[in-house]
Short mmCIF file of all heavy atoms in Angstrom, two decimals:
data_model
loop_
_atom_site.label_atom_id
_atom_site.label_comp_id
_atom_site.label_asym_id
_atom_site.label_seq_id
_atom_site.Cartn_x
_atom_site.Cartn_y
_atom_site.Cartn_z
N GLU A 230 0.29 78.96 -72.56
CA GLU A 230 1.72 79.29 -71.81
C GLU A 230 2.43 80.15 -72.79
O GLU A 230 2.25 80.27 -74.05
CB GLU A 230 2.37 77.82 -71.53
CG GLU A 230 1.84 77.10 -70.44
CD GLU A 230 1.71 77.79 -69.17
OE1 GLU A 230 2.60 78.69 -68.95
OE2 GLU A 230 0.94 77.32 -68.26
N PRO A 364 -15.26 87.32 -51.27
CA PRO A 364 -14.69 88.23 -50.30
C PRO A 364 -14.20 87.55 -48.99
O PRO A 364 -14.85 86.54 -48.53
CB PRO A 364 -15.97 89.12 -49.86
CG PRO A 364 -17.14 88.32 -50.29
CD PRO A 364 -16.69 87.49 -51.47
N LEU A 434 -2.54 99.32 -81.51
CA LEU A 434 -2.90 99.82 -82.76
C LEU A 434 -4.31 100.40 -82.68
O LEU A 434 -4.54 101.47 -83.33
CB LEU A 434 -2.79 98.58 -83.74
CG LEU A 434 -3.10 99.08 -85.34
CD1 LEU A 434 -2.10 100.08 -85.69
CD2 LEU A 434 -3.03 97.77 -86.19
N ARG A 548 -1.18 95.70 -67.47
CA ARG A 548 -1.74 97.06 -67.34
C ARG A 548 -0.43 98.06 -67.21
O ARG A 548 0.53 97.67 -66.64
CB ARG A 548 -2.48 97.16 -65.99
CG ARG A 548 -2.88 98.60 -65.74
CD ARG A 548 -3.55 98.50 -64.31
NE ARG A 548 -2.67 98.22 -63.33
CZ ARG A 548 -1.74 98.90 -62.68
NH1 ARG A 548 -1.55 100.20 -63.12
NH2 ARG A 548 -0.99 98.44 -61.79
#
Side-chain angles (χ1 to χ4, degrees):
E230 293 292 340
L434 183 62
R548 174 186 60 80

